Each structure stands twice: as C-alpha cells, then as structure tokens.
Amino acid sequence: MEYVGAADSRRSARFRASWESVTPYLFVSPVLGLMLTFIYWPLAYSVFLSTLEWNFISPDREFVGLDNFRRLLDDDRFGQAIRNTGVYLLALVPIVVLLPLGLALLLGPIRRSRFQTVYRVALFSPTVVAFPVAAVVWLWIFNPVGGVLNQLLEAIGGSGANWLADPKTALWCVVGVCAWRLVGYNLLLYLAALEGVPVEYIEAAAIDGAGSWATFRDIRWPLIQPTVFFMVVTAVIFISDTAFGAIYVLTDGGPFGQTTNALYYLYERGFRFFQIGEASAVSVLIFVAVTAITWLQFRLLERHVHYG
Amino acid sequence: MAYAQHVTRRSLLKNSLVPVATGAAAAAMPWTAKAEQQGSMTLQYWQAYGEYPAIAEMRTRFNEANPSIRVEASVYNDYLELAQALQSAAAANNLPDLAGVGYTFIRYVVANVPHLTTQDALAFNDEDANYLTDGFAPNILALGQVDGVQHGMPLVIGTPYLFYNADLFARSGLDRGPQTWDEVREFARAIKDATGQYGLGISAPADFWTHQALVESNGAQLLISETGQPPRTGIDSPEAIEALQLHVDMTLKEETAVHLDFRQGEQAFASGQVGMHVASGGSLQTIQLTAAFEIGTTPFPTFGDKPRRVPAGGNNLFIFATDEEQQRAAWEFIKFCTSPDMLTLLSEDTGYIPPRRGLIDDPNYLKPFFDANPLYAAEVLQVPDTVPWVSWPGKRGLEAEQVLLDLRDRILVGSQDVPGAARDAAKRVNELIQE
C-alpha cells in the first residue's frame, strides 16, 4: 500500500527537478533578450531590408528580391570600396600586429623605470583622442599649403604633394592615420602579455646561454601567441571601423571614392542617400565576409597557437 | 543542484518585489513631471550648425513673451546630420515640432516627411494671409518652394563670395578685389609671380554649392525642369564646361589655384598663403579669428556681363507637429523668428543675410550693422542674384550630388578631361533623377 505522503514527495521531487532545469535559462534570459533585441533581430531584419527598395519612411516600399545585390555588383564605386577594404586589411593587419610587438620588446628593459607612465601615456593617447579633434591636426599636417609634412619634405630637399586630394596618396594617408590610432592599444596588450611570461623561464634560458633572439623565439613568442592570435582576429574585424572614422574626417570617401571602404560605402548608401535596401545588402555581404574570414582564421591559424 | 532547492515560488516573488517597486516608482515620475507642466506646451525645435547666441536669445524671448509655450532646441553639427536625425525620427514616428531643414534637402523632406506647409499655416490667422508676399522677395520665397508650393519658411541666407588677402594683394601691386573671372585669373597670376603663393582657392565642401555658383554664373543651369519633360542636368552644357575648365586650367596648367577640401582651404587662406578664397560668410567668421592680415571681400565674380547667380545656403523652417495646437504654436514661433527684430538680432550675430526685404537698408534695423561691417557688404550686394541651392528630385536625387563631387575631384586632379567627365556625370545624374 502506498503512503499518501509518498505521492507528495514524488510531486515535490518532480517540481524541484524541473525547476533546476529551468533556473539556468531564467538567469541567462535577460542577456539573451538583449542579444536577441540588439544583435539577432537587427541581423534578421537587415536581411529582410536588403530585399526592398525603400528609404525607411516613405509609404512606397517595393520588394525587389536580389536586385539590390545585383545593383551593387554593377556599381563601380562598390567594387572600388571592396578593393580599398582589401588594401586597408593587407596594409594594416601586419602593421598593427607586428609594430606594437617590436615596440613592446624595445620598451621591455625600461618597463619598470620611472618613465614608464610617460611613454605609456604618449603611446596610448592616440587611441583615446577623439577623431574629430585629431582630424583638425591631421588636416593641417597633410595640407599642401604650409602643412607640416610638405614643409619637412621640402626642408630635406624633397617635394610635397596634395596628399588628401591626390588619388595616389590619399588612401595611404588614411592607412597612416589608422596605424597611428591603433598601435598604442595593441602595444599595451603586448606589454601585458610579455609581463605574463614567467621570469624564471627567461633566467633559465640566460643560464643556458640563450641570446635575445633565441629567448624571444623559443620562450616569449610561444607564450604570447594567444595574444597575437586575438590581435589578428580582432584587427580584421575592427580595422574597417577605424578606417571609417579616418575616412569620415579626412576625405569623405574621396577623391572620387579612392579612399572609400565597404563600411563607408554602407554609410553613404544608408545615411547620405537614404537607400536602406542597398545599405542593408552591403551589411549582409560584410557580415558574410567577416564571418568567413574569422572562421578561416580559426581553422587555419588556431592550430598553431600555443595555449600553454 | 543545492542552490536550486532554495529557490521557491515564495522566494522568487519576494525577491522580485524590490525591482518591480523601483520600476513602478520610476514609471510614475514622468506623470508627476507632466502634472507640474500642465497648462504649458513644449515645442521641440531642431537646428543645425551650433547654438548661436542669437538663436538661444530668440528662444528665450519667445518663451518669455508666450508663457504657455516653451521652445526647446536640439542642435546638430550640420544639415546632413539634421536630415539623418529627421529620417530616424520619421521612422520612429517621433518627429520634432519644427526644424531648420537645409535648402538642399527640401525636395527629399517634402516628398518623404509629413509636414504642414507654410502655405497652409497662413490659414491659421486671417491677418497672416499676405505675410509672405508683404515681407519677402519672390526669389527668397522660392528657397522654400517645391513646384510653386511654399513648404518651408526661409530663415537664414548665405551665399558664396570672394575674400582676399589685402596684404598679398598690396605686395602684388593690386589695390582692389576682382570683379570678373578674367580678373581673378589675372590677379592670381600676379600674386604667384610676385609672392610665390597660390592666388586662388575655391572652397570644396561635401556638396557642389560653390561650383553651382561657378557654372550657373556662366549661364549654365545645373537642374533643368521643363513642363512635360523629365528633369535633367545642364552640367555638360558648353557654359558649365567652360566655367569648370577655367578652374581646372588655373589649378593644373597655370598652378595659380589650389584644390583643397573645405577645412584645409580655410586653414590655407587664414595662414596667409593663398591670395583669394571663395566661400561662405560662415567661413569668413572662422578665418577672421586667426588671420593675421587685412581681409577684403568682393561679390562672387561674374563672367563678363553675364548675370551673377549664387545659390543660397541656409535653412527653411518646417512644421512637423501633427496636433493643431502645436502647429499653431510652431507657426507663431516661425513668425517670431522671421520678425524684423529677431532677424536683425540673428544677422548681427551670424553675419548671414536676413530673408525679409528692407531690413538691410533700414536705419532702425540692419543698416548700421552692415555699414559698420564692410566685409559683409559683398554678400549684401548679391542678394538680388540669389537662386535656390539645387535640390535634386527623384528617389535617388540625393545621390546625384555625389556624382558632381566626384566630377569636381576628378577634373581638379587631372584624372579626366573636363568635357568627358562632365558628359559622364550628366549621364549618371540624369539616370538618378529620372528614375
């Protein structure tokens, strides 16, 4: 015969079990809600918008299927933007990944000196200075009439240029400004990563007669690889964003699209010409490209990363 | 898991009380604030290009004179940023009650953003029936019209004119500003020969405004609208090509002119290294702050005897409020802002030309100001020559401006010849505005 209390115990146990399985989801639901609202819903809506010819406010809204994507393929300016994006990545990824590493190694011996705050502030300040403020100075540096760069070149016997108006030089000016802005942040990350290398390993290598290069190659480099990998992945994702800021303040995408990248092209389509369908099509293509590149990076590079 | 055993329905309810109570209290606060403001109406007004003291003063005086209405302003960096904000606000059904829309955006706003036209606002009061025709010249009212309908009320007007470095001029044997483009060319050559400095810079902002003045003053028409015909551009007309070729020859062949963007152009002229600079009165104020030389001004040069045509920069006041009481209040604010006293205040602070006729020559209003500030005389002289800043029609009209900017940049760096570039630009612009 079954006790009456036994049924109550089983119900209570079932409630506790189902409550235990639901509770974790309740805890993550606020964050999930935020992600759905601000990441996944806009992503899905962008895909929908990319099939429309619409300016977001007019009652005239036309479904055009893949026409926006076809229009992009026919647009020379979009082709130029994609090529420029490739140039920015190929030029800037090595600069912002390797140059800060070199600087961090050079600064290593004086990292504990009383001047460390000075050099860290000096090297990190480009990252925190607002772009519009820095733009006024950069525009003056690049000004062909009395600008600092032309004056320096002329002083050493060279000749100046109309840096931002000349299609041969404008893009490289944007590359230079982006490198100036990004190096400082990555330098700090490298300094922290190198600081994390156990000093006993370095001392042991010194006792065994290893020189600077061998110490770097066999001890420091393997141990900072996670940081390097992180920088490579984030550089590919965020360089376009930094370049957008530089393009916006220095060249407005000109001369005639020679400095425009995919992100700036998206901005023009969506926020200057109010062609929301085309802008959304660009955003879908950027999303697919960045996802593919990031996946490839994990697939091809991560196997070489030593996680200690 | 042990922690889950302590989570019961009772504890969950108890632990939720605090955030729910806090949220309820927060939600109640706006209602409290609303109760305090009962009886007063707030108008949201959006404006571009910073908070001039005169505009803040206009709002303060209006609020004092109309205790039941409170005008609050949001400020945007430029007309593009304001247009972008209007776009977002329209999508969210949260438009301001009124805004100063840049002249070049008038067609886009008229076609896409619901608003009360100025023409319809006149019907609020019988005495306003002749408000526009009594106080404003037809060419000024045209700045707020699309297809003959008065949609917006012009508030400020700025046209491009020529500033010159009087010190460089003196060193080059020149004692006055140029009146024609032939003289500009000749003076620029004289400055280059005598001082080694560039003779001319034409402001190159992210729009075609100054070059519209250049081509239209030579008789071209940037936008041709004929009844029964699709709109088209005249950028490939012989007159436009001739005007653009002049600028290109001075820049690339004679090297007496330099092609710089808007901000670099200001920097270069203010540093005393360019003899002449074509830009707006707003640039003049900026340059005066840093220039260490005497500045002279002269109206936008003409091509021989052809009439000068200078596009107006500035904005129209548009009413976006949907509630009739808000619309009436907005119209009262617009009339207040365009009254002789307020326009005088605004012009004295900004140097911009008032849209209302008669104020400039009236000793009770702006005559003393413009007499005391001769640098603005050049702009005053060309008020009768003011034409609308082209606002491109069609769903893709906004893109047409970019085509012309690319044309300007291509020809001024020598990437393409002027006739070919103008033909390509005309073809593309016509495709866009006829779509």
Side-chain angles (χ1 to χ4, degrees):
Chain A
M1 184 176 163
E2 194 175 58
Y3 288 111
V4 172
D8 283 341
S9 290
R10 278 199 298 278
R11 267 197 298 276
S12 192
R14 273 200 300 273
F15 170 77
R16 273 200 304 275
S18 63
W19 186 247
E20 281 174 19
S21 64
V22 162
T23 305
Y25 294 100
L26 286 178
F27 277 110
V28 302
S29 60
V31 170
L32 269 181
L34 284 171
M35 287 177 70
L36 270 171
T37 306
F38 294 108
I39 298 177
Y40 297 112
W41 164 244
L43 190 59
Y45 196 54
S46 286
V47 175
F48 167 65
L49 287 175
S50 69
T51 63
L52 303 177
E53 184 170 324
W54 193 32
N55 64 7
F56 222 69
I57 56 178
S58 165
D60 298 326
R61 186 171 89 170
E62 190 188 342
F63 175 76
V64 295
L66 296 177
D67 275 359
N68 286 327
F69 294 92
R70 281 190 212 103
R71 202 193 277 264
L72 290 177
L73 293 175
D74 288 338
D75 186 355
D76 292 339
R77 200 176 177 86
F78 181 66
Q80 182 69 56
I82 295 301
R83 286 192 293 278
N84 292 344
T85 303
V87 171
Y88 286 128
L89 287 175
L90 288 172
L92 281 168
V93 171
I95 293 174
V96 304
V97 172
L98 297 177
L99 178 59
L101 176 59
L103 286 172
L105 290 169
L106 283 172
L107 292 170
I110 60 168
R111 69 185 185 279
R112 295 203 190 282
S113 79
R114 54 196 158 125
F115 300 112
Q116 61 173 315
T117 307
V118 173
Y119 72 72
R120 284 184 183 182
V121 167
L123 289 167
F124 190 65
S125 55
T127 308
V128 296
V129 168
F131 238 141
V133 172
V136 175
V137 178
W138 279 111
L139 284 169
W140 184 248
I141 290 172
F142 289 131
N143 198 323
V145 181
V148 169
L149 186 55
N150 276 2
Q151 287 190 46
L152 274 173
L153 287 171
E154 283 157 15
I156 59 172
S159 61
N162 196 342
W163 301 99
L164 297 178
D166 190 336
K168 293 192 283 293
T169 54
L171 186 144
W172 299 107
C173 292
V174 174
V175 167
V177 172
C178 289
W180 165 85
R181 189 155 176 83
L182 290 169
V183 161
Y185 178 76
N186 288 353
L187 169 67
L188 281 191
L189 292 181
Y190 274 128
L191 285 172
L194 289 168
E195 194 77 13
V197 174
V199 69
E200 297 81 17
Y201 294 6
I202 308 298
E203 287 171 353
I207 290 168
D208 287 343
S212 306
W213 170 245
T215 305
F216 171 75
R217 182 191 62 212
D218 298 328
I219 296 175
R220 289 196 168 95
W221 175 252
L223 291 177
I224 65 170
Q225 276 175 5
T227 302
V228 177
F229 181 63
F230 168 80
M231 281 194 199
V232 171
V233 171
T234 54
V236 171
I237 295 170
F238 293 115
I239 271 172
S240 280
D241 189 58
T242 303
F244 173 88
I247 295 164
Y248 185 83
V249 298
L250 293 177
T251 62
D252 288 326
F256 44 97
Q258 296 299 300
T259 57
T260 299
N261 68 354
L263 209 57
Y264 196 83
Y265 182 89
L266 185 160
Y267 162 77
E268 282 182 337
R269 292 286 122 188
F271 298 99
R272 288 187 65 184
F273 311 146
F274 301 135
Q275 296 293 332
I276 300 301
E278 286 177 21
S280 298
V282 177
S283 72
V284 168
L285 292 177
I286 290 175
F287 170 72
V288 169
V290 171
T291 305
I293 293 171
T294 306
W295 177 81
L296 272 172
Q297 285 175 316
F298 273 87
R299 192 105 168 90
L300 298 174
L301 298 179
E302 202 189 15
R303 69 179 75 168
H304 302 293
V305 175
H306 173 77
Y307 282 102
Chain B
M1 293 171 72
Y3 76 89
Q5 287 171 354
H6 298 287
V7 179
T8 63
R9 272 171 287 192
R10 188 182 291 176
S11 66
L12 190 65
L13 182 63
K14 193 173 79 174
N15 291 336
S16 303
L17 273 179
V18 169
V20 166
T22 308
M29 285 175 67
W31 292 102
T32 308
K34 254 196 195 163
E36 287 171 358
Q37 287 173 13
Q38 237 169 13
S40 73
M41 177 196 308
T42 301
L43 289 182
Q44 290 296 329
Y45 166 47
W46 289 4
Q47 64 191 50
Y49 285 107
E51 175 78 309
Y52 283 103
I55 296 186
E57 180 64 22
M58 279 159 61
R59 285 203 311 278
T60 302
R61 291 193 194 182
F62 179 81
N63 291 340
E64 284 168 1
N66 299 272
S68 63
I69 307 172
R70 180 174 169 74
V71 177
E72 293 178 352
S74 296
V75 180
Y76 296 88
N77 282 325
D78 51 39
Y79 294 127
L80 173 62
E81 199 176 283
L82 190 146
Q84 291 167 343
L86 275 179
Q87 174 87 354
S88 303
N93 209 20
N94 189 26
L95 286 164
D97 296 297
L98 65 166
V101 175
Y103 294 132
T104 195
F105 292 101
I106 185 174
R107 279 185 191 268
Y108 183 80
V109 170
V110 163
N112 293 286
V113 186
H115 59 281
L116 179 77
T117 67
T118 301
Q119 205 145 300
D120 288 339
L122 292 173
F124 283 139
N125 305 303
D126 290 338
E127 64 264 27
D128 291 341
N130 297 322
Y131 183 81
L132 298 180
T133 48
D134 283 349
F136 304 89
N139 68 323
I140 300 304
L141 288 175
L143 304 177
Q145 292 174 356
V146 174
D147 300 329
V149 175
Q150 193 74 39
H151 285 269
M153 187 70 212
L155 179 63
V156 289
I157 298 166
T159 52
Y161 53 110
L162 187 143
F163 326 138
Y164 61 91
N165 182 328
D167 295 353
L168 273 184
F169 265 47
R171 282 164 55 192
S172 310
L174 304 166
D175 58 3
R176 62 168 176 84
Q179 302 301 303
T180 66
W181 280 100
D182 284 341
E183 284 189 342
V184 170
R185 196 171 200 164
E186 184 193 321
F187 288 19
R189 204 172 290 136
I191 292 168
K192 190 78 192 267
D193 290 343
T195 68
Q197 307 288 7
Y198 285 107
L200 173 71
I202 297 182
S203 179
D207 53 59
F208 203 66
W209 186 66
T210 32
H211 282 79
Q212 177 184 338
L214 185 71
V215 303
E216 291 204 345
S217 291
N218 197 31
Q221 242 184 301
L222 205 52
L223 174 63
I224 303 168
S225 300
E226 291 163 336
T227 314
Q229 299 287 328
R232 58 191 171 84
T233 179
I235 192 63
D236 58 342
S237 64
E239 296 84 4
I241 290 173
E242 185 185 40
L244 294 172
Q245 191 68 58
L246 165 73
H247 190 195
V248 167
D249 288 345
M250 288 181 69
T251 305
L252 298 178
K253 270 198 209 154
E254 296 159 26
E255 295 184 348
T256 53
V258 63
H259 175 48
L260 297 171
D261 93 328
F262 165 66
R263 292 152 296 184
Q264 287 185 321
E266 273 185 4
Q267 286 174 348
F269 180 72
S271 71
Q273 298 178 78
V274 177
M276 295 175 278
H277 186 60
V278 176
S280 76
S283 282
L284 178 61
Q285 290 198 328
T286 307
I287 290 165
Q288 279 179 304
L289 292 172
T290 54
F293 53 85
E294 190 189 337
I295 301 173
T297 60
T298 187
F300 191 87
T302 60
F303 285 88
D305 294 330
K306 293 184 187 178
R308 177 186 298 112
R309 290 163 63 91
V310 283
N315 65 88
N316 282 301
L317 292 174
F318 267 75
I319 299 175
F320 298 111
T322 51
D323 174 77
E324 189 178 321
E325 288 308 308
Q326 303 269 124
Q327 290 174 342
R328 286 175 177 272
W331 175 235
E332 290 305 313
F333 181 63
I334 289 175
K335 284 195 297 180
F336 184 83
C337 291
T338 52
S339 63
D341 288 333
M342 290 302 104
L343 287 175
T344 299
L345 187 72
L346 188 57
S347 287
E348 285 174 350
D349 187 27
T350 63
Y352 285 125
I353 301 297
R356 187 180 275 277
R357 60 176 149 209
L359 294 184
I360 294 173
D361 298 319
D362 193 324
N364 295 316
Y365 293 107
L366 284 168
K367 191 170 189 316
F369 171 76
F370 283 108
D371 285 346
N373 291 277
L375 288 183
Y376 295 119
E379 197 173 15
V380 168
L381 284 171
Q382 57 188 38
V383 168
D385 308 321
T386 304
V387 298
W389 184 2
V390 165
S391 179
W392 300 99
K395 284 190 299 191
R396 296 191 163 265
L398 291 173
E399 218 175 315
E401 192 83 355
Q402 185 63 51
V403 175
L404 296 181
L405 297 182
D406 289 352
L407 156 71
R408 180 189 68 193
D409 290 343
R410 278 184 203 284
I411 60 177
L412 286 171
V413 298
S415 282
Q416 200 175 357
D417 65 294
V418 176
R423 267 195 310 273
D424 292 343
K427 180 167 176 284
R428 183 66 185 133
V429 167
N430 289 338
E431 281 168 4
L432 291 168
I433 65 179
Q434 292 171 7
E435 193 171 313

